[in-house]
C-alpha cells in the first residue's frame, strides 16, 4: 500500500515538473485513488475473517460461554445442553486442553478450550476455528478467587490467520 502511494506521489511530481497540464495530472491522481481503493477493498475482503464462518461459530461460542458463566466448567463440552451444533470427538489432553469438533455444511470446525489456573484466578480460553478459511473466534473467561464468579473478558472476537499473498503483513 505504501509502495502504491509512493509511486503515485512520484508520478505526480514528475508530471508536474514536465508540465503535463492540470487535466492530465488530475486524471492520473483520480486513477491512482481508484486503484488504491480497489486494492484496499480486495485486501479487506481477502484477509478479514470469513463472515459466514463467524456467523456459524458465534452461537456455538455464546451457548458454551453462557453455560460456563451459570454452571462453571463442565467435565466435557459435549455435556452442554442446547448447543446449536453437536460436538464430536471430544478429548482432553494432558495440559488441560479439551479438543472438540462440529460439522456444518461439510466444514469441520474445531473447538479448543484451555483452562489455566493461577494463584488467584482461573482463566478459560476458547478458540473455535475453521482450517479451510483460516477463520476463528476467541473468547476469554476469568474466574477471580475473591468473588468466585466467572466473568467474560473477551467474547467472540473474530480473527484470521491468513498470512500469504496480499495478507502477509510484510507486503502491505
Amino acid at each position: 500500500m505504501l509502495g502504491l502511494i509512493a509511486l503515485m506521489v512520484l508520478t505526480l511530481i514528475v508530471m508536474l515538473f514536465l508540465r503535463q497540464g492540470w487535466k492530465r495530472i488530475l486524471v492520473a491522481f483520480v486513477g491512482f485513488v481508484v486503484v488504491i481503493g480497489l486494492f484496499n477493498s480486495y485486501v479487506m475482503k481477502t484477509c478479514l475473517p470469513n463472515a459466514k464462518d463467524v456467523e456459524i461459530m458465534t452461537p456455538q461460542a455464546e451457548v458454551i460461554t453462557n453455560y460456563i458463566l451459570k454452571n462453571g466448567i463442565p467435565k466435557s463440552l459435549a455435556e452442554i445442553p442446547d448447543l446449536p451444533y453437536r460436538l464430536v470427538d471430544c478429548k482432553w489432553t494432558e495440559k488441560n486442553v479439551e479438543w472438540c469438533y462440529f460439522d456444518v455444511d461439510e466444514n469441520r470446525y474445531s473447538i479448543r478450550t484451555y483452562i489455566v489456573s493461577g494463584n488467584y484466578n482461573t482463566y478459560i480460553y476458547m478458540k473455535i476455528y475453521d482450517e479451510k478459511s483460516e477463520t476463528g473466534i476467541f473468547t476469554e473467561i476469568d474466574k477471580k478467587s475473591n468473588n468466585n464468579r466467572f466473568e467474560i473478558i473477551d467474547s467472540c472476537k473474530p480473527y484470521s490467520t491468513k498470512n500469504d499473498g496480499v495478507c502477509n503483513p510484510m507486503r502491505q
Side-chain angles (χ1 to χ4, degrees):
M1 182 67 84
L2 289 175
L4 285 174
I5 293 170
L7 181 65
M8 178 185 77
V9 170
L10 183 63
T11 302
L12 292 175
I13 289 172
V14 168
M15 289 178 78
L16 189 63
F17 280 120
L18 295 177
R19 300 184 190 268
Q20 293 290 319
W22 289 105
K23 285 185 181 179
R24 290 184 95 182
I25 292 173
L26 183 62
V27 168
F29 178 74
V30 169
F32 276 119
V33 169
V34 168
V35 167
I36 289 172
L38 289 173
F39 178 74
N40 190 39
S41 64
Y42 171 73
V43 167
M44 295 302 258
K45 179 160 177 44
T46 304
C47 299
L48 289 178
N50 184 320
K52 185 177 185 309
D53 285 334
V54 171
E55 186 178 316
I56 289 171
M57 294 179 216
T58 300
Q60 190 84 334
E62 288 173 345
V63 169
I64 294 169
T65 301
N66 290 335
Y67 181 88
I68 292 172
L69 290 175
K70 290 179 187 173
N71 304 309
I73 303 169
K75 290 184 182 187
S76 174
L77 295 179
E79 295 176 357
I80 297 175
D82 303 325
L83 286 172
Y85 307 104
R86 188 174 71 83
L87 297 178
V88 295
D89 299 333
C90 291
K91 297 177 192 137
W92 281 95
T93 68
E94 66 277 353
K95 297 181 180 179
N96 282 339
V97 178
E98 184 177 18
W99 285 77
C100 293
Y101 300 91
F102 64 95
D103 299 312
V104 179
D105 299 332
E106 299 179 17
N107 276 0
R108 177 157 267 208
Y109 298 89
S110 66
I111 300 178
R112 286 181 287 173
T113 307
Y114 303 86
I115 300 173
V116 180
S117 295
N119 292 338
Y120 301 104
N121 296 7
T122 299
Y123 297 98
I124 301 170
Y125 303 100
M126 181 174 56
K127 294 181 179 182
I128 303 178
Y129 187 73
D130 177 31
E131 203 167 295
K132 286 182 185 175
S133 69
E134 299 181 56
T135 297
I137 61 172
F138 175 79
T139 299
E140 180 181 352
I141 303 171
D142 179 19
K143 179 181 180 185
K144 297 190 184 322
S145 62
N146 57 356
N147 63 7
N148 209 20
R149 286 186 3 196
F150 283 102
E151 298 173 5
I152 296 175
I153 305 300
D154 282 324
S155 181
C156 301
K157 287 180 102 172
Y159 66 92
S160 176
T161 59
K162 298 173 190 168
N163 64 359
D164 58 344
V166 295
C167 299
N168 186 334
M170 297 305 287
R171 290 189 180 180
Q172 293 183 14

